[in-house]
Amino acid sequence: MKDAAPRAIRLSEYQNPAFLVQDVSLTFRLDPHATRVFSRISFRRNPEGPGGPLRLDGEGLRLIRAAIDGTEVQPKILPAGLEIDAPDAFTWEAEVQIDPKANTALEGLYMSNGMYCTQCEAEGFRKITYYPDRPDVMAPFEVRIESELPVLLSNGDPVERGDGYAVWRDPWKKPAYLFALVAGDLVAHSNGFTTMEGREVALNIWVRPGDEDRCAYAMDSLKRSMRWDEDAYGRAYDLDVFNIVAVDDFNMGAMENKGLNIFNARYVLASPETATDADYARIEAIVAHEYFHNWTGNRITCRDWFQLCLKEGLTVFRDQTFSGDERSHAVKRIEDVQMLRARQFREDAGPLAHPVRPTSYIEINNFYTATVYEKGAEIIGMLRRLIGEDAYREGCDLYFDRHDGQACTIEDWLKVFEDATGRDLAQFARWYAQAGTPRVTAETRIEGGTLILDLAQSLPATPGQPEKAPQVIPLAIGAIARDGTEVLPTAVVELTETAQTFRFEVGTDDAVASINRGFSAPVILDQTLSAADRALLLAHDTDPFNKWEAGRALARTALVDMIVQSGAPDRHFVDALGPVISDNAQDPAFRALALALPSDDDLAQALTDSNATPDPDAIDAARTRMQTAVATAHEGALDAVYDAMKVSGPYNPDATDAGRRALRNAALSLLTHVDGGDRARAQFAAADNMTDCLAALSALIRTGQAETELQAFHDRWQNDRLVMDKWFALQIAGAPGETGLAVAQRLVEHPAFDWKNPNRFRSVIGALGMNHASFHARSGGGYALVADWLIRLDPLNPQTTARMTTLFETWHRYDVDRQDQAKAALRRIQSTEGLSRDTSEMVSRILG
Ligand code: PHE
Ligand code: ZN
C-alpha cells in the first residue's frame, strides 16, 4: 500500500522550486534486475524560491551512496524522496539501484520484450533517480549508457560510442519528464531531412528486427510534419538526430521525449496487409503530434501539471490542423467532433467533469483526459476564429519569442494574444476554468427578410462548480433558402451574455439558419428544426460540417423516436439518405460519414438528454432495424456504389483511396443486413488489405455468422501481436446485442490473452466496454467482468487500470437495477486491499 491518505495537490498552493538545476550528468549501468544509476547534478538555490533544505523526489529507489561536493552524506529518507540541508550552490552525486524487470507499471525504466525503455511523464523520473521531478526545473542532460546491447539511445545528439557504452548530450534545457533512454536489439529504418535553416537531420525509426518494413508510413508522416511546422508555424527542428522507437508495452499512445520519441508500436508499424486506413491516419496524426511537441511542450513547457493543456491542447490543435491540411478539412473536422462528443462531452456530462485547467488532483496521471486534450484543442480553435488567422500566427510567434526555454502557464499563453491584438481575453479565459459543456438554445424567425436569432447560453453545474458565468462563444452562422441557395454566407457572432439577439439581412422570408458551422464552438446546440428543415440543410448547406450535422440530427431524432415510441424507421430520414448514397459529386469520405448512424453510446446520451432512461437492448435493436430499413430502401443504389467505389491498383493509404474504401465499406455494412452476408464473405476471401478484410469481418460478426472467417483470420495472424489485438477487439466490440459478453468471457481464457500487455488488455476488456449492449447487459455480467480484470491489473499497472475505470463513468444514465449493479462493481474495486492511488481516486470520483 502507498500513502495511507493521499493528499490532493492544489494549483493555489504552487510554489517556485527551492533549487534550480544547472547541469545533469547520468550514467546507467544496465542490468535487468539491478541497474545502477549514477547522477551528478549541479544545483543552485533559487533566489525566488521558498528557501529550506534540498528535497528530492524518489520512489522505489535503493540509495547506495550520496555526496555533496564530494563528501558523502546521509540524507533523511522520506516516503516519496529524501531531504538534506544544502549550501546555495553545490554538486550532488548519488548512486541508486533499480529493478527494471520488476517494473510492471511501465513508468520509469522498464523492460519490454527484452528491451530497456523509459516513460517519465508525468512523474516517472523519480523512479529512476532522486531529482526535483517537476516540469519547472529545466536543465541540459548528459547521459552515459553502459550495456552490451547493440543499440543505446538517449535524448539529444550522440557524443561518443565505444565498446559497451554510448554517450548522449542534449544541449536544450528540459524538465525530467522529457528524459528518455532505450537499449535493445533494434534495427533502424532511416532517412534524412534538411531543415529550412539548413540543418541536416538524421531520422531513425527503431523497431524489433522483422518490423523494419512497416516503418515507411511513419517516416513519411514525420518528414511531412517537419515541413509543415516550418511552413505553418515557422518552427524548425533543433538537433542533428531525431529518433523514434516502437515499444510493445506502453500505457499511452506515444511520448515526446526530446529527440527520442517513444511510441506504442501500434502507432508506428503499418503495412497494407496489417493496418487499416484508420490506423494509417492515426499514425500520421500521432507522429505529427509528438513531433510538434518539440516546440509546444519541449522548448516551451508547462510550469506545473495543472497547465497540461498548455502543451496538449495546443499540440492536438496543431496535429488536427496538419491532418486537415494533408487530407480534408471537412472530413477531419467531422471525425474530430465525433470523437469530441463521444469522449469529451461524455466526460463533461458525468462525475469526472473537470475544467480544462483543473485546480486539484490526487494523481496527475488521471488528468490526461479528453477534456485537457480535446476540449483544450477546441479552445485554441475558438481563439483563432475570434482573433483571425493572422493575429493567431502573430501571437504564436510572440509566444515562441518570449517564452523559449521557459516553463509557462495559461496566463502566459493568453497574454501573447492580448498583446498581439489588444483584445481583453479575461472572459475567454473562463473556457479553461469552468467545466461542463455549454448549452446554446437558438430560436430563429424571419421578419421582412431579416433573420432574427435569439441565442441563450447556460452551463450546467459540475462537481465542485455549482455556479457558472457566461463564456465567449463564437458561433459561425449562415442561412439556406428553401430553394437551396445560400442567402447568408458564413458570419461569426460572439455570444458573450446569457442571452443575446442578432439580426442578419437574408432577403427572403423562407430560409433555415445554419448555426455553429464548422462546429465553431464545442457546445450542445438546441435548435428546433423540423425534419424538412434538416433535410434541406443535409441537401444544400454549403458548410460541410453542418451538412453532416443535419443528417446526424435527423438520424438521432429518428432513432430516439423509434426507441421511445417503439415506432417504425422514419421515412424522411431513410429517403434523405438516397442522394448521400448516390451523389457522386460529393466526396466519398464525406458520404461514408453521413451514412453512418450515431453510436449506441451517442443514443444513450441523447436519450438521457431528453429525460429518458436508455435501454441498451432497445437501442441496439433500433439501430439494427434502421440499418435494415436503409438497406432495403436503397439496395440497388448501395450495390451500385459498392461496385463503383472499388479501388484498383496497389494499396495507397492516401485520403482519396481511403475515402473510396470507407464509402464502399459503409455500403457493405448496410448491404449485409439484406444479402445474408454474401458480399462480405466474398470480400473477406478476396481482400488484399486490412481495411477491406476487417470491414468484411466486422459486417459478418454483426450477423453472428463469422466463425469460419474468425478462425481463418486467427490462423493467418496468430504470430502478429498488433493484428491479433484487432482479432480480439473486433469480435467483442462488434458482437450483436448482449452476445459480446459471452465472447469476452470466452476470450479471457484464450492462451493469447496476454493481459499484462496494455494493448491486449484494452483489446479485450476495453472492447467489452465499447460494446454498449454487452457491457450494460441486464445481468450485470459486463460490469462484473470488467471489475474482476481491473482488480487483477491494478497491482501491476495502476495507470492503465485507472484509465479504464472511465468505462463506468456513465452509470448514472441507466435504470436503477443497472445502477445498482454498476455501483456494486465499483465498490468491489474500491474496497480492494492495497488499491492504487490512481484507481482509488478515479473510482471515488465516479461514485461521486
Ligand atoms: N505526452 C504524451 C502525448 O500527449 C502522452 C503521455 C502522457 C504519454 C503520459 C505517456 C505518459 O503525446
Ligand atoms: Zn501530447
Side-chain angles (χ1 to χ4, degrees):
M1 179 103 187
K2 295 188 183 169
D3 343 7
R7 211 177 62 82
I9 315 288
R10 286 175 216 293
L11 171 57
S12 58
E13 289 167 10
Y14 173 83
Q15 283 203 325
N16 290 328
F19 288 87
L20 300 175
V21 174
Q22 278 171 309
D23 201 60
V24 179
S25 160
L26 302 172
T27 295
F28 287 80
R29 200 159 293 159
L30 294 178
D31 179 272
H33 281 297
T35 287
R36 288 283 167 108
V37 184
F38 303 82
S39 57
R40 181 188 300 121
I41 305 167
S42 52
F43 282 101
R44 160 172 77 76
R45 195 174 286 281
N46 182 2
E48 277 142 44
L54 175 73
R55 283 203 192 88
L56 300 178
D57 300 300
E59 244 181 75
L61 306 172
R62 203 176 114 208
L63 181 62
I64 308 290
R65 180 183 158 268
I68 286 184
D69 289 330
T71 306
E72 200 160 327
V73 292
Q74 306 288 337
K76 184 169 153 204
I77 303 293
L78 310 169
L82 58 72
E83 186 180 295
I84 187 160
D85 288 325
D88 287 349
F90 62 97
T91 300
W92 161 265
E93 285 170 285
E95 177 180 353
V96 304
Q97 182 168 314
I98 52 180
D99 184 345
K101 193 121 200 206
N103 182 351
T104 57
L106 315 183
E107 199 186 41
L109 177 68
Y110 66 97
M111 299 201 73
S112 170
N113 261 331
M115 103 195 222
Y116 292 87
C117 60
T118 55
Q119 173 51 47
C120 293
E121 188 177 5
E123 298 180 333
F125 193 73
R126 62 188 62 187
K127 296 179 160 189
I128 292 176
T129 193
Y130 288 103
Y131 198 75
D133 189 8
R134 43 187 288 167
D136 55 355
V137 173
M138 301 173 79
F141 280 58
E142 183 160 302
V143 178
R144 179 184 166 95
I145 310 167
E146 298 178 3
S147 163
E148 292 309 318
L149 286 163
V151 176
L152 308 174
L153 307 172
S154 189
N155 314 91
D157 290 320
V159 173
E160 206 185 323
R161 181 67 163 111
D163 202 12
Y165 75 94
V167 181
W168 291 78
R169 178 156 185 91
D170 181 359
W172 299 103
K173 291 196 303 171
K174 68 166 173 292
Y177 83 86
L178 292 172
F179 167 81
L181 175 153
V182 169
D185 185 3
L186 301 169
V187 290
H189 173 105
S190 301
N191 212 311
F193 182 86
T194 308
T195 69
M196 64 181 185
E197 294 164 350
R199 183 193 289 266
E200 303 284 344
V201 184
L203 309 176
N204 303 297
I205 300 181
W206 297 93
V207 295
R208 289 196 284 135
D211 284 339
E212 58 274 28
D213 54 346
R214 295 195 197 176
C215 301
Y217 193 73
M219 181 59 84
D220 179 57
S221 303
L222 173 61
K223 292 170 77 172
R224 286 185 285 117
S225 306
M226 294 176 86
R227 191 61 75 209
W228 186 91
D229 211 15
E230 295 183 343
D231 294 343
Y233 282 83
R235 299 293 116 197
Y237 188 60
D238 54 4
L239 290 166
D240 296 337
V241 183
F242 188 79
N243 285 313
I244 288 178
V245 179
V247 304
D248 292 327
D249 299 278
F250 203 74
N251 283 330
M252 308 276 276
M255 179 63 209
E256 70 264 23
N257 316 298
K258 183 78 186 190
L260 178 53
N261 288 0
I262 297 184
F263 273 61
N264 187 325
R266 68 179 296 214
Y267 297 122
V268 175
L269 303 177
S271 68
E273 301 74 38
T274 60
T276 62
D277 291 330
D279 292 328
Y280 277 90
R282 262 192 300 269
I283 288 168
E284 179 183 82
I286 296 180
V287 167
H289 179 96
E290 305 313 328
Y291 176 74
F292 296 157
H293 268 315
N294 192 55
W295 275 94
T296 52
N298 301 3
R299 287 286 285 263
I300 303 179
T301 194
C302 304
R303 185 192 73 173
D304 55 72
W305 292 119
F306 297 103
Q307 323 292 329
L308 183 58
C309 62
L310 177 73
K311 73 177 178 82
E312 295 304 346
L314 175 54
T315 305
V316 170
F317 178 70
R318 277 151 52 72
D319 82 57
Q320 290 175 342
T321 317
F322 165 76
S323 294
D325 283 353
E326 298 288 300
R327 290 162 179 262
S328 144
H329 281 284
V331 168
K332 178 65 179 157
R333 187 65 185 140
I334 295 165
E335 290 170 347
D336 288 342
V337 173
Q338 271 184 311
M339 226 264 275
L340 182 79
R341 284 176 170 157
R343 298 185 44 221
Q344 201 279 323
F345 281 23
R346 169 178 150 124
E347 183 166 75
D348 240 353
L352 297 176
H354 58 276
V356 171
R357 179 167 67 180
T359 55
S360 90
Y361 59 79
I362 289 174
E363 171 52 62
I364 184 56
N365 283 334
N366 289 336
F367 284 84
Y368 286 76
T369 60
T371 296
V372 170
Y373 276 65
E374 271 75 37
K375 188 174 177 183
E378 291 299 317
I379 297 177
I380 315 277
M382 286 188 287
L383 175 66
R384 189 178 66 166
R385 199 182 285 268
L386 287 168
I387 66 179
E389 286 191 27
D390 294 344
Y392 173 72
R393 175 66 196 266
E394 250 175 80
C396 287
D397 288 348
L398 185 55
Y399 179 65
F400 294 121
D401 264 9
R402 188 182 281 175
H403 295 296
D404 188 10
Q406 298 178 5
C408 293
T409 61
I410 289 303
E411 283 72 18
D412 296 327
W413 165 254
L414 289 177
K415 184 76 167 52
V416 296
F417 295 98
E418 293 191 322
D419 291 353
T421 63
R423 188 183 163 123
D424 179 350
L425 293 172
Q427 188 187 7
F428 183 78
R430 287 180 188 154
W431 278 105
Y432 288 100
Q434 300 192 129
T437 306
R439 245 174 208 281
V440 173
T441 41
E443 276 169 31
T444 59
R445 67 209 136 87
I446 302 184
E447 285 169 9
T450 301
L451 170 68
I452 302 163
L453 200 57
D454 289 316
L455 296 175
Q457 62 167 305
S458 65
L459 191 54
T462 47
Q465 292 190 331
E467 308 286 345
K468 308 287 170 93
Q471 296 182 170
V472 185
I473 301 181
L475 289 173
I477 314 271
I480 304 293
R482 192 62 56 189
D483 66 2
T485 55
E486 183 169 68
V487 288
L488 177 65
T490 303
V492 179
V493 304
E494 294 179 25
L495 177 59
T496 56
E497 319 271 316
T498 305
Q500 263 169 290
T501 300
F502 297 89
R503 290 185 167 75
F504 301 93
E505 291 315 313
V506 291
T508 167
D509 278 355
D510 196 4
V512 178
S514 167
I515 304 175
N516 207 20
R517 282 184 157 181
F519 208 64
S520 56
V523 301
I524 295 168
L525 177 66
D526 286 325
Q527 180 188 10
T528 321
L529 286 180
S530 66
D533 290 348
R534 292 210 158 108
L536 179 78
L537 294 180
L538 173 60
H540 298 292
D541 203 325
T542 58
D543 179 71
F545 178 81
N546 264 8
K547 188 176 169 70
W548 171 82
E549 177 78 331
R552 175 67 30 150
L554 269 181
R556 198 185 300 121
T557 316
L559 283 158
V560 165
D561 286 353
M562 278 172 80
I563 295 160
V564 174
Q565 298 155 13
S566 333
D570 175 22
R571 283 248 44 104
H572 286 97
F573 171 67
V574 173
D575 291 347
L577 288 184
V580 174
I581 297 167
S582 303
D583 182 359
N584 288 320
Q586 285 182 54
D587 179 8
F590 174 86
R591 287 150 72 198
L593 288 168
L595 272 182
L597 296 179
S599 71
D600 285 12
D601 196 65
D602 288 343
L603 292 170
Q605 186 59 48
L607 286 156
T608 309
D609 286 346
S610 54
N611 295 317
T613 303
D615 172 351
D617 302 319
I619 291 174
D620 188 67
R623 272 184 110 251
T624 307
R625 269 198 299 145
M626 181 65 95
Q627 281 163 333
T628 309
V630 172
T632 309
H634 299 293
E635 188 171 358
L638 286 166
D639 187 57
V641 151
Y642 183 72
D643 287 342
M645 289 297 134
K646 191 164 167 48
V647 180
S648 53
Y651 175 86
N652 182 336
D654 73 6
T656 309
D657 280 8
R660 294 174 64 93
R661 279 187 290 270
L663 179 55
R664 183 164 197 258
N665 286 324
L668 176 72
S669 157
L670 288 165
L671 286 165
T672 304
H673 288 271
V674 291
D675 74 357
D678 291 348
R679 287 184 189 80
R681 237 166 260 116
Q683 177 169 317
F684 180 84
D688 65 354
N689 65 75
M690 185 52 81
T691 306
D692 289 338
C693 173
L694 224 56
L697 187 57
S698 96
L700 289 171
I701 286 170
R702 237 165 307 117
T703 67
Q705 317 264 298
E707 233 168 275
T708 319
E709 287 75 13
L710 279 166
Q711 188 61 48
F713 190 99
H714 171 274
D715 294 349
R716 167 144 190 220
W717 295 112
Q718 54 184 317
N719 295 317
D720 189 303
R721 270 179 112 154
L722 295 177
V723 180
M724 281 303 284
D725 286 338
K726 298 182 194 300
W727 181 82
F728 277 101
L730 197 62
Q731 56 184 310
I732 298 171
E738 284 189 15
T739 62
L741 175 55
V743 179
Q745 281 163 338
R746 180 162 52 76
L747 288 180
V748 293
E749 306 292 337
H750 194 285
F753 177 45
D754 168 15
W755 58 274
K756 295 176 188 169
N757 174 261
N759 288 354
R760 188 58 52 86
F761 191 89
R762 285 186 283 256
S763 67
V764 174
I765 305 303
L768 173 58
M770 302 316 292
N771 185 325
H772 189 258
S774 299
F775 179 57
H776 298 285
R778 188 179 304 280
S779 65
Y783 304 145
L785 187 69
V786 171
D788 290 346
W789 283 95
L790 293 182
I791 289 168
R792 190 140 168 195
L793 185 64
D794 185 66
L796 275 73
N797 187 335
Q799 198 182 332
T800 289
T801 308
R803 293 202 118 217
M804 292 192 53
T805 60
T806 57
L807 294 175
F808 287 98
E809 76 186 318
T810 57
W811 65 267
H812 55 279
R813 283 182 192 157
Y814 299 91
D815 55 81
V816 179
D817 281 353
R818 284 187 171 87
Q819 290 194 6
D820 288 345
Q821 303 263 26
K823 282 191 282 187
L826 286 163
R827 294 215 177 92
R828 196 151 60 79
I829 299 173
Q830 194 174 37
S831 61
T832 301
E833 176 76 38
L835 192 71
S836 68
R837 179 175 46 167
D838 310 53
T839 304
S840 133
E841 179 185 28
M842 291 298 281
V843 172
S844 46
R845 283 168 66 209
I846 293 171
L847 279 167

